[in-house]
Amino acid sequence: MIINSELEQRGNQFPNDIKEVRQEVDTIYFTTLNEVVLQLTVLRDSVIRFRYGTRGILEDDFSYAIDTDSYTGYNHLELTENKNYHIVTTAKLIIKIEKISLQTKILDKEGHLINEDEIGFHYEESFTLGGNIVKMGKRAHPGETFFGLGDKPVHLNLRGKKFTNWATDSYAFGKDTDPIYKSVPFYIGLKEKKAYGIFFDNSFKTNFDFCQERLDVTSFWAPGGEMNYYFFYGPSMSDVVANYTHLTGKPDLPPLWSLGFQQCKWSYFPESTVKALAQKFRDLRIPCDGIYLDIDYMEGFRCFTWNKEYFPDPKRMIGELEADGFKTIVIIDPGIKIDPDYWVYQEGLENDYFCKRADGPYMVGKVWPGECAFPDFTNPEVRDWWAGLFKDIVGDIGVRGVWNDMNEPAVMEVPGKTFPDDVRHDYDGHPCSHRKAHNVYGTQMARATYEGVKKYVYPKRPLVITRSAYSGAQRYTSSWTGDNVATWEHLWIANNQVQRMCLSGMSFTGTDIGGFAEQPTGELFARWIQLGVFHPFCRVHSSGHHGDQEPWAFGDEITNITRAFIEMRYTFLPYLYTMFYEYSTKGIPMIKPLVYYDQEDPHTNYRTDEFIFGNCILVCPILEPNSKGRRMYLARGTWYNFWDNSVIEGGRELWVDADLDRIPMFVKEGAIIPRYPVQQYVEEKVITELKLDVYFKIGKEASQVYEDGNDGYDYKKGRYSLRNFNLTGKEGELTIQQHKSGTYDTSYDTIKLNLIGLSFEIKSITVDNVEYDLNILENDGKCLKLSKNFAVVNLMG
Ligand code: MIG
């Protein structure tokens, strides 16, 4: 790794006096006497791009991360100057560019300094490899905290640490291992309660230092490419994350079944084992939607083939599993076995689709199949070809989702565990070495896989899962956090990683529940399930070398606890789906760290364990063995204990009981939480009633419930059902208004309000101006069934 402080001693070059300023609509070019160009673009009033070239040259502008559909638009842009600065003003920000140094300062409209360059942009000519080593130094302020950066297995707050982004196969990684699988060069700063974000869109090996080398400096740098970063201003963290996610892209809705429970292992084979596994789930009444086949389903690890001894008739088997509510997902790796008789290898060879070394030979590396060639997924023609390879397994055989592994890319038995730097890539028409393409390789593979699965699973929706990812991968794929270990420390890591991924635009993420390597105790497995059911992607996976890890592998007590929590997840499906809808339309993370939830409360800034599931359920996992409960921080506000509905005031630390069969969960007052009945798999039952858990509050609260056909694309034509609820509680009165949009007609006709914490006895019920008899109340006056499309219900004491 290049150490920044070392570089400061070497040939650093700095911009000098600005000699020329030129504006083209939303973009302003500042050129210095020594030919450094700053291209500053206003994308939105609060989203600014800073891009630096040297020798007066900017590269061809191309990025895999940016969603080309992300619209831009600002309300105000003005360029002025005073003695020392050129000043760009938008409706939200004031950006000052110093005339003698090109250093920048960013202030909000009230004049608060949000972020400023320390030494700012500087660079060094890379005589050995070509191009520049590009660097940025920013001033860090006392008390400023930092979040984000994808899958780093560290404390949520990044301050005091240094990181590298270089996608790496990291079997049994540990706390603070860096780098691991993903590369998401985006972080959030929180300074004096105001949040901003920086996305350094450079696919080379990027480095970030959050005040480790110098206590008051945050810096980031890369050994090639451009200093090219986007600045997002909040002041709320939610706006920062939403704007970043908007820029790098939001996913379509996944099929609802992919939010159900998923069971995986390395490996389930032959067919009889898979069938027995499925049967066991149904026999024990443990809900499950997805079964995963790991590499052994293939013929000699050749992608797109089947081992006919283990799986003589995969189409029949998958059909039979489907009939019982299971979808089959298979693994596909990037390594294509070098075998002259293997059609995928032949096609790749004939069409020149494999990566080559600088001097011409193929990039050959050993992976599971032995010596392999590797498609250059950064070539659009190769991606098209790859997508087409899914015709049989998805279109004909009926596989419903594809799991991309080893796409860092991982290579065995070589130093660095990946391709050598000299390997050539197309990079969508910008030929380059592996130094530049490495971090995006996995995402481009997942993208090609997504295009293929999407095409052949049509009219249903695709599911792709990836291990490696670069910013923007969320447009194509979900992800898991790789080869973790069955230890309590890894449970802590799992919790931090998924929260961090959610802040990094990649909400649809989960961990190998129970741990991939080694075997969990029943207690650890139960505690991991209790966390995992709150993660957007919920899958048990294990290496299979250390014993069984199915929900029934640890005795009856654990089986029952596991079942109860998986059942709970299924009852939360409409809540989870609504969360996904908010993520997919607005870029709102599905789960939220406490600091995101309440950045104004300094206590939240250093918390890691507690998080908000959706918008209104606070969850805190139990992370230690033999626990009867734990101390935790309850965010500010008034909460209901999920388990007994007792009301409790937040903004403080407290002890919460949590025997092995429960974990601390609190629901925000005023919440309306939609629930479905328990199902063994998505769409097992026709939903005949939507239950709404209504948590009374004095005051107002808004919530929504999104539903659609659970799969397919009709929702894009307006066939969805979005219920917006406004709750207003007063002494002796509760009113819920509903505004419904979308043309989807849900299967149920009634909505059942389950009234929790009502502070009065109901004496009158009015629904859409009609007075109802009190005997429509059920369950001791706590439940009320209404026709689903009511506009206003008013309850008076
Ligand atoms: O070298 O396919 O992270 O989930 O089970 C190991 C076998 C390759 C690593 C993945 C893991 C998967 C395993 N793979």
Side-chain angles (χ1 to χ4, degrees):
M1 187 167 79
I2 306 165
I3 303 213
N4 200 27
S5 326
E6 265 171 35
L7 286 177
E8 310 299 347
Q9 311 308 318
R10 303 193 337 222
N12 272 324
Q13 303 189 53
F14 294 82
N16 57 12
D17 301 65
I18 297 173
K19 67 169 183 196
E20 188 193 288
V21 180
R22 183 165 56 86
Q23 180 170 1
E24 282 174 22
V25 199
D26 56 359
T27 300
I28 303 156
Y29 296 86
F30 301 89
T31 308
T32 63
L33 287 173
N34 61 351
E35 299 293 336
V36 175
V37 192
L38 161 59
Q39 177 196 303
L40 184 155
T41 305
V42 176
L43 287 93
R44 289 182 166 190
D45 292 300
S46 56
V47 182
I48 316 290
R49 179 181 182 191
F50 295 85
R51 187 181 174 212
Y52 298 81
T54 61
R55 300 214 176 88
I57 301 165
L58 289 163
E59 289 178 2
D60 187 11
D61 197 11
F62 173 76
S63 163
Y64 283 115
I66 307 301
D67 181 2
T68 45
D69 293 338
S70 71
Y71 66 93
T72 60
Y74 52 85
N75 293 312
H76 182 75
L77 169 54
E78 196 183 309
L79 176 63
T80 54
E81 65 182 294
N82 64 21
K83 184 161 164 275
N84 298 324
Y85 296 98
H86 294 286
I87 301 167
V88 178
T89 308
T90 75
K92 298 233 171 93
L93 293 173
I94 301 162
I95 303 134
K96 296 183 173 178
I97 301 101
E98 197 180 34
K99 289 182 173 172
I100 56 162
S101 68
L102 206 62
Q103 287 174 6
T104 65
K105 287 186 203 302
I106 303 172
L107 301 91
D108 70 10
K109 286 310 263 284
E110 286 75 51
H112 298 117
L113 180 68
I114 306 301
N115 185 259
E116 68 180 316
D117 285 354
E118 183 252 349
I119 50 178
F121 173 63
H122 51 301
Y123 63 101
E124 192 191 338
E125 184 81 37
S126 174
F127 291 107
T128 46
L129 296 161
N132 293 323
I133 299 160
V134 293
K135 304 174 240 179
M136 173 59 66
K138 298 269 185 191
R139 192 167 300 289
H141 295 262
E144 189 169 354
T145 46
F146 303 97
F147 306 90
L149 282 197
D151 65 348
K152 303 297 181 198
V154 305
H155 193 288
L156 271 187
N157 183 355
L158 304 167
R159 187 164 181 139
K161 297 197 167 70
K162 205 157 86 169
F163 302 95
T164 297
N165 290 312
W166 183 254
T168 304
D169 178 6
S170 314
Y171 175 79
F173 63 92
K175 184 166 183 280
D176 297 332
T177 303
D178 186 60
I180 58 168
Y181 305 92
K182 296 175 182 74
S183 172
V184 184
F186 165 66
Y187 73 88
I188 302 158
L190 182 61
K191 173 179 171 276
E192 287 154 9
K193 302 184 178 176
K194 296 185 202 311
Y196 65 87
I198 287 183
F199 170 40
F200 180 21
D201 186 11
N202 178 314
S203 65
F204 283 80
K205 180 184 282 180
T206 48
N207 301 276
F208 288 81
D209 172 13
F210 300 97
C211 318
Q212 192 194 71
E213 289 182 17
R214 282 191 289 157
L215 292 179
D216 56 352
V217 176
T218 288
S219 57
F220 46 94
W221 66 100
E226 285 180 335
M227 176 47 60
N228 168 33
Y229 75 90
Y230 295 80
F231 181 88
F232 309 88
Y233 177 55
S236 71
M237 211 180 260
S238 62
D239 281 341
V240 172
V241 175
N243 273 322
Y244 166 76
T245 312
H246 183 74
L247 182 73
T248 55
K250 295 169 294 216
D252 278 348
L253 286 170
L256 185 60
W257 64 261
S258 67
L259 299 180
F261 179 71
Q262 320 282 312
Q263 179 71 39
C264 186
K265 173 170 147 167
W266 180 14
S267 280
Y268 292 124
F269 70 88
E271 173 177 338
S272 56
T273 302
V274 176
K275 289 303 235 3
L277 174 80
Q279 193 55 48
K280 189 97 178 178
F281 271 102
R282 298 302 180 239
D283 288 349
L284 292 176
R285 313 252 340 129
I286 298 173
C288 181
D289 266 278
I291 292 185
Y292 289 65
L293 301 183
D294 206 326
I295 47 177
D296 300 286
Y297 79 89
M298 302 179 215
E299 179 60 53
F301 307 120
R302 289 170 186 80
C303 292
F304 308 101
T305 68
W306 292 82
N307 179 319
K308 288 289 163 118
E309 204 181 304
Y310 297 155
F311 297 99
D313 188 354
K315 182 172 179 170
R316 176 189 44 71
M317 178 188 79
I318 289 173
E320 287 163 9
L321 288 170
E322 285 254 349
D324 202 9
F326 293 99
K327 311 349 169 242
T328 306
I329 298 91
V330 301
I331 198 167
I332 289 283
D333 288 354
I336 297 301
K337 186 175 177 67
I338 297 183
D339 169 2
D341 298 325
Y342 169 37
W343 54 284
V344 180
Y345 176 68
Q346 287 165 357
E347 285 185 23
L349 208 59
E350 273 159 27
N351 296 298
D352 201 15
Y353 287 160
F354 295 126
C355 294
K356 288 183 182 148
R357 303 293 298 265
D359 297 327
Y362 285 104
M363 160 60 216
V364 175
K366 281 196 201 160
V367 222
W368 291 105
E371 287 180 6
C372 284
F374 299 83
D376 182 10
F377 295 106
T378 71
N379 179 337
E381 206 184 313
V382 176
R383 289 198 298 271
D384 279 352
W385 166 69
W386 185 261
L389 296 174
F390 292 91
K391 186 164 191 286
D392 275 2
I393 60 167
V394 174
D396 180 44
I397 293 177
V399 162
R400 293 284 284 276
V402 172
W403 166 28
N404 282 166
D405 186 20
M406 307 291 277
N407 54 353
E408 292 71 27
V411 179
M412 295 166 175
E413 298 171 29
V414 291
K417 300 191 287 187
T418 191
F419 295 179
D421 282 350
D422 68 88
V423 169
R424 309 296 300 162
H425 294 274
D426 180 66
Y427 213 93
D428 280 63
H430 308 80
C432 67
S433 79
H434 196 62
R435 291 199 310 138
K436 180 170 171 181
H438 176 82
N439 282 333
V440 299
Y441 186 86
T443 299
Q444 296 314 303
M445 177 188 184
R447 174 186 183 180
T449 302
Y450 167 78
E451 294 301 343
V453 181
K454 185 178 173 182
K455 180 165 175 196
Y456 297 111
V457 87
Y458 188 84
K460 298 186 183 312
R461 303 176 194 160
L463 174 69
V464 177
I465 304 127
T466 188
R467 193 169 72 175
S468 184
Y470 182 70
S471 296
Q474 69 271 10
R475 303 203 288 276
Y476 319 113
T477 181
S478 66
S479 73
W480 91 104
T481 57
D483 297 342
N484 57 7
V485 187
T487 63
W488 289 93
E489 184 174 76
H490 263 275
L491 186 56
W492 180 92
I493 294 174
N495 183 21
N496 278 270
Q497 281 187 300
V498 176
Q499 291 184 58
R500 181 185 309 291
M501 287 291 284
C502 283
L503 282 186
S504 307
M506 295 184 183
S507 280
F508 199 9
T509 302
T511 67
D512 284 356
I513 295 174
F516 177 75
E518 299 176 26
Q519 197 185 24
T521 59
E523 185 190 7
L524 176 58
F525 183 79
R527 292 308 194 185
W528 209 315
I529 280 279
Q530 289 170 343
L531 172 66
V533 295
F534 296 107
H535 285 165
F537 184 66
C538 177
R539 185 183 77 160
V540 167
H541 182 39
S542 68
S543 74
H545 305 319
H546 311 276
D548 292 342
Q549 207 157 300
E550 290 74 35
W552 48 85
F554 307 94
D556 288 349
E557 188 194 6
I558 303 299
T559 306
N560 292 337
I561 291 170
T562 302
R563 181 192 298 107
F565 276 83
I566 296 175
E567 285 179 344
M568 183 200 282
R569 180 170 175 104
Y570 277 74
T571 69
F572 280 134
L573 276 175
Y575 182 71
L576 258 163
Y577 202 39
T578 302
M579 253 183 233
F580 210 115
Y581 164 78
E582 292 180 347
Y583 168 46
S584 129
T585 52
K586 298 190 206 129
I588 298 173
M590 292 175 67
I591 68 174
K592 298 142 179 97
L594 275 207
V595 61
Y596 173 108
Y597 179 75
D598 187 0
Q599 70 193 48
E600 309 255 323
D601 172 5
H603 294 290
T604 66
N605 291 206
Y606 301 91
R607 305 302 305 196
T608 54
D609 297 356
E610 307 83 354
F611 61 88
I612 309 285
F613 172 61
N615 295 321
C616 39
I617 303 180
L618 193 154
V619 178
C620 183
I622 298 291
L623 302 172
E624 282 175 20
N626 304 312
S627 298
K628 295 259 164 225
R630 63 165 291 165
R631 287 193 71 79
M632 60 171 280
Y633 184 73
L634 191 61
R636 296 191 298 184
T638 305
W639 302 83
Y640 287 81
N641 185 322
F642 177 80
W643 301 100
D644 62 14
N645 292 332
S646 58
V647 176
I648 178 159
E649 231 13 77
R652 62 195 173 100
E653 284 231 10
L654 69 165
W655 169 269
V656 181
D657 289 334
D659 271 329
L660 191 53
D661 60 354
R662 62 176 55 177
I663 67 167
M665 286 172 69
F666 296 87
V667 184
K668 197 173 145 188
E669 62 164 359
I672 294 183
I673 308 227
R675 312 283 295 264
Y676 281 168
V678 171
Q679 302 178 78
Q680 297 308 301
Y681 54 90
V682 166
E683 292 191 346
E684 181 205 17
K685 295 179 181 161
V686 174
I687 308 296
T688 55
E689 183 176 86
L690 179 69
K691 189 170 110 175
L692 296 179
D693 286 341
V694 179
Y695 291 84
F696 182 74
K697 155 182 186 170
I698 305 256
K700 288 176 188 287
E701 206 70 47
S703 38
Q704 54 181 8
V705 180
Y706 175 87
E707 293 165 291
D708 63 16
N710 300 337
D711 208 332
Y713 295 95
D714 282 358
Y715 76 100
K716 296 211 169 197
K717 296 180 221 136
R719 294 203 14 99
Y720 60 82
S721 157
L722 181 63
R723 303 175 187 282
N724 280 289
F725 296 108
N726 284 311
L727 173 149
T728 310
K730 298 179 187 157
E731 290 299 344
E733 183 173 356
L734 172 65
T735 307
I736 299 172
Q737 292 167 289
Q738 173 175 217
H739 173 77
K740 189 181 171 283
S741 57
T743 58
Y744 183 72
D745 193 19
T746 53
S747 57
Y748 55 84
D749 293 320
T750 50
I751 285 182
K752 180 157 125 188
L753 301 183
N754 180 33
L755 304 167
I756 297 162
L758 212 59
S759 62
F760 56 92
E761 196 186 322
I762 301 171
K763 302 252 170 63
S764 92
I765 305 170
T766 314
V767 184
D768 298 343
N769 295 320
V770 179
E771 184 112 8
Y772 278 74
D773 202 284
L774 289 185
N775 65 20
I776 69 164
L777 288 170
E778 295 172 10
N779 195 15
D780 258 0
K782 295 284 185 309
C783 272
L784 181 58
K785 277 191 194 176
L786 301 174
S787 147
K788 68 176 170 186
N789 289 332
F790 72 87
V792 193
V793 52
N794 176 271
L795 308 172
M796 303 266 272

